[in-house]
Amino acid sequence: MVGDLFANERVLAFDLETTGIKTRTDKIVQYALIGSDACGTEISVEGLVNPGCLIPPRASEIHGIYNRDVMDAAPFVSHAQKMYDLMNGAIIVGHNVRRFDMPFLTTEFSRVGMLAPKPKAIIDTLEIVRKLKLPRPHNLGSLCNRHGVDLTNAHTAGADAAATLLLLWRVMKDNPQPFRQPILEIERWAIGQNISSDGSELGRGYDDLPPVDSAGRLRRDNENIILAFGRHRGKTIKQLVNSDLQYYNWLISSASGIDDEAIIELKAHVQ
């Protein structure tokens, strides 16, 4: 299941160690990208970065990187192109990566006058465990311990990145249902971007989406077709096929009352 989800994709676990937690003023001191490319070749890239400033003692106590360690390291600009080439268009996996690591990276790219890489999708394990309502605490160390993932050398970028990738695998194996959909749908699910009947989540409801059938029971959301009625309301047709094939078969039958033209489109949509 996991292999199929990431087939033919570059998948990289991403982690940073920094001088602090302020994305606008603090700097990167270490990064790691661990995973594989679209043909399955292993990728393991780690680097120390000279931040151009002193590393506060408190930060060094956490990640174990001291000023002497980065004294002769290259500045971020020397790492930027390599990171861009690897991350642009890739599926990026990380723990709190959307709110911490990616904003830090974007700021560093801005400082050197470059556009930041644009991943195909960001799969954040913190978002996922919260969405699944798994028991707290949700810090990486506690989650890895609970799921049997070794996290030796915690708070080094390489160890954290590798552990996050394994954690994702374990969580997906233990909770397969949400992951039986395309990767972009998983990302939307994790961050809560679901169409609601009253528009409370995205500021829009079903009535704002163009209808597929004459009664408006099916709605179009970009490339997706969404059910706007019944017990599967809010699901895409592809999600429905994976979760309740019997209901889908009823939907495309004459008994559902859906227009013939809409039924033809539904069948073509899932092929």
Side-chain angles (χ1 to χ4, degrees):
M1 177 267 298
V2 175
D4 292 341
L5 179 63
F6 293 135
N8 303 315
E9 300 284 1
R10 187 186 313 124
V11 182
L12 295 170
F14 174 49
D15 189 74
L16 296 175
E17 302 301 334
T18 64
T19 61
I21 61 173
K22 298 178 180 178
T23 58
R24 292 190 177 184
T25 56
D26 285 312
K27 304 289 188 65
I28 294 171
V29 297
Q30 188 183 45
Y31 68 92
L33 291 162
I34 309 291
S36 60
D37 64 17
C39 62
T41 302
E42 181 179 330
I43 296 172
S44 180
V45 176
E46 299 181 55
L48 287 171
V49 179
N50 188 329
C53 63
L54 294 177
I55 304 173
R58 175 57 180 155
S60 294
E61 289 173 6
I62 294 172
H63 50 55
I65 301 170
Y66 293 83
N67 292 306
R68 62 179 179 271
D69 299 316
V70 298
M71 185 182 305
D72 297 323
F76 179 80
V77 67
S78 299
H79 300 272
Q81 190 61 55
K82 180 197 301 183
M83 296 182 73
Y84 181 92
D85 292 342
L86 286 171
M87 298 178 72
N88 196 51
I91 296 171
I92 299 299
V93 177
H95 196 71
N96 199 28
V97 67
R98 192 184 307 278
R99 292 183 178 273
F100 183 80
D101 304 82
M102 290 304 296
F104 253 102
L105 189 69
T106 299
T107 298
E108 289 280 22
F109 269 91
S110 177
R111 288 188 182 117
V112 299
M114 293 177 62
L115 292 175
K118 185 177 181 181
K120 178 176 181 177
I122 296 174
I123 303 300
D124 193 320
T125 49
L126 180 59
E127 293 172 348
I128 286 173
V129 298
R130 287 176 173 172
K131 188 73 173 181
L132 291 170
K133 299 181 180 179
L134 298 187
R136 292 178 179 273
H138 290 160
N139 62 73
L140 183 60
S142 297
L143 288 165
C144 286
N145 183 60
R146 195 179 309 137
H147 288 83
V149 175
D150 180 44
L151 187 51
T152 305
N153 298 321
H155 293 298
T156 62
D160 286 0
T164 301
L165 199 56
L166 289 173
L167 175 64
L168 176 63
W169 254 248
R170 297 288 175 85
V171 170
M172 292 172 70
K173 182 179 179 181
D174 293 343
N175 305 272
Q177 183 62 34
F179 303 101
R180 293 171 178 160
Q181 54 185 327
I183 194 69
L184 295 179
E185 292 297 322
I186 293 172
E187 181 182 24
R188 292 186 64 191
W189 163 79
I191 61 178
Q193 287 188 349
N194 299 308
I195 301 298
S196 61
S197 59
D198 60 0
S200 60
E201 287 191 56
L202 289 182
R204 58 175 181 164
Y206 297 118
D207 290 342
D208 298 310
L209 301 175
V212 175
D213 65 311
S214 60
R217 294 195 291 171
L218 302 169
R219 298 283 174 162
R220 196 183 314 280
D221 181 28
N222 296 321
E223 297 180 355
N224 295 312
I225 296 176
I226 294 177
L227 284 162
F229 76 104
R231 67 174 183 266
H232 290 296
R233 187 176 189 174
K235 285 186 178 179
T236 68
I237 294 301
K238 291 181 179 179
Q239 289 173 333
L240 178 66
V241 170
N242 288 327
S243 64
D244 193 342
L245 186 58
Q246 183 177 357
Y247 191 92
Y248 168 75
N249 287 332
W250 169 81
L251 189 67
I252 60 173
S253 72
S254 59
S256 69
I258 299 292
D259 304 342
D260 290 342
E261 291 182 0
I263 289 175
I264 292 172
E265 183 171 350
L266 287 180
K267 291 178 178 179
H269 184 69
V270 299
Q271 288 180 349

